Amino acid sequence: DAMVIQNPRYQVTQFGKPVTLSCSQTLNHNVMYWYQQKSSQAPKLLFHYYDKDFNNEADTPDNFQSRRPNTFFCFLDIRSPGLGDAAMYLCATSSTRGSTEAFFGQGTRLTVV
Amino acid sequence: GQNIDQPTEMTATEGAIVQINCTYQTSGFNGLFWYQQHAGEAPTFLSYNVLDGLEEKGRFSSFLSRSKGYSYLLLKELQMKDSASYLCAVRDPSDDYKLSFGAGTTVTVRA
């Protein structure tokens, strides 16, 4: 059973049209991460939540926002997608209490047209 | 800040052994993770080390030395399906448990 679920798997959006990607987890992990990954590159951290504390990377564009309404859900909002935002977006979770894993969802591949 | 280094590429023959090294310099340390990623797919968790020593899981083993800021992933009895990118990541409790990645090592297994 999938433990970190991202929806949708594939998303096509128009240039400049706001889009939201979602991530849910059944692991009760208290840390959640959003990464952007472009072809042949390593995942680039956009931001992460440690419980409710939001941590934004210094080089994450203002165009990218996130919400975490509860432990299990986290959203990535792209306010005005540009062609350069086309990428795979990965959600991951980890726990600071006992668990030794950090899992990724299957990712959402975003296309901007 | 974080600095995580691993080789860019490695090539090995089917049935052989390959060792992928990872060195790190982070403000804090709360575990080192290894992931496998095939092209177009999400990373798959392979191993986690937080204490010094070797963790073995079937054909894959991972080693950690915290004093040296060093880890390696050992892949034994290589199979063609092991051709993938291998990512080293470090979790830093001094930065709210940020999980940072190295650039990844592309392993190509040849017949």
Side-chain angles (χ1 to χ4, degrees):
Chain A
D1 291 336
M3 295 174 286
V4 183
I5 302 165
Q6 291 188 243
N7 283 305
R9 290 287 308 278
Y10 301 92
Q11 175 74 58
V12 179
T13 191
Q14 290 180 336
F15 182 94
K17 183 175 181 181
V19 65
T20 295
L21 310 182
S22 72
C23 177
S24 64
Q25 52 123 338
T26 60
L27 299 159
N28 202 26
H29 282 178
N30 58 330
V31 191
M32 293 187 77
Y33 311 84
W34 277 107
Y35 294 87
Q36 179 193 65
Q37 188 175 30
K38 297 188 177 181
S39 183
S40 302
Q41 297 181 17
K44 178 182 180 300
L45 183 64
L46 296 172
F47 21 62
H48 75 285
Y49 284 90
Y50 171 42
D51 293 325
K52 295 182 180 179
D53 293 339
F54 177 69
N55 295 270
N56 195 35
E57 291 300 295
D59 58 354
T60 297
D62 292 340
N63 199 23
F64 291 82
Q65 304 285 321
S66 184
R67 296 169 283 137
R68 187 180 186 187
N70 55 50
T71 299
F72 305 101
F73 287 88
C74 197
F75 300 97
L76 169 62
D77 301 309
I78 309 176
R79 292 192 296 190
S80 181
L83 298 179
D85 297 327
M88 173 81 91
Y89 289 88
L90 296 161
C91 173
T93 74
S94 74
S95 175
T96 62
R97 300 183 289 255
S99 169
T100 59
E101 298 100 353
F103 291 116
F104 280 85
Q106 290 183 294
T108 294
R109 182 162 297 283
L110 179 69
T111 301
V112 182
V113 297
Chain B
Q2 289 85 15
N3 189 26
I4 302 168
D5 291 315
Q6 49 182 131
T8 305
E9 294 180 338
M10 301 183 77
T11 301
T13 306
E14 197 173 15
I17 298 173
V18 71
Q19 177 175 314
I20 307 169
N21 296 324
C22 173
T23 58
Y24 64 91
Q25 288 179 305
T26 57
S27 302
F29 180 82
N30 182 247
L32 186 143
F33 299 79
W34 283 98
Y35 293 87
Q36 180 191 64
Q37 187 176 28
H38 287 101
E41 299 180 9
T44 302
F45 171 80
L46 291 178
S47 69
Y48 168 80
N49 295 72
V50 69
L51 299 176
D52 291 351
L54 187 68
E55 294 280 341
E56 296 187 82
K57 274 188 184 181
R59 295 189 298 115
F60 291 27
S61 303
S62 58
F63 172 82
L64 175 68
S65 169
R66 288 171 295 169
S67 62
K68 295 182 180 177
Y70 167 71
S71 173
Y72 67 73
L73 179 69
L74 195 68
L75 285 61
K76 295 179 276 190
E77 299 170 18
L78 279 172
Q79 301 175 9
M80 300 299 286
K81 67 178 182 179
D82 298 329
S83 292
S85 179
Y86 291 84
L87 300 162
C88 170
V90 174
R91 190 166 63 182
D92 186 348
S94 72
D95 198 354
D96 267 357
Y97 295 89
K98 175 176 176 176
L99 186 64
S100 299
F101 282 81
T105 300
T106 299
V107 172
T108 301
V109 181
R110 294 186 173 163

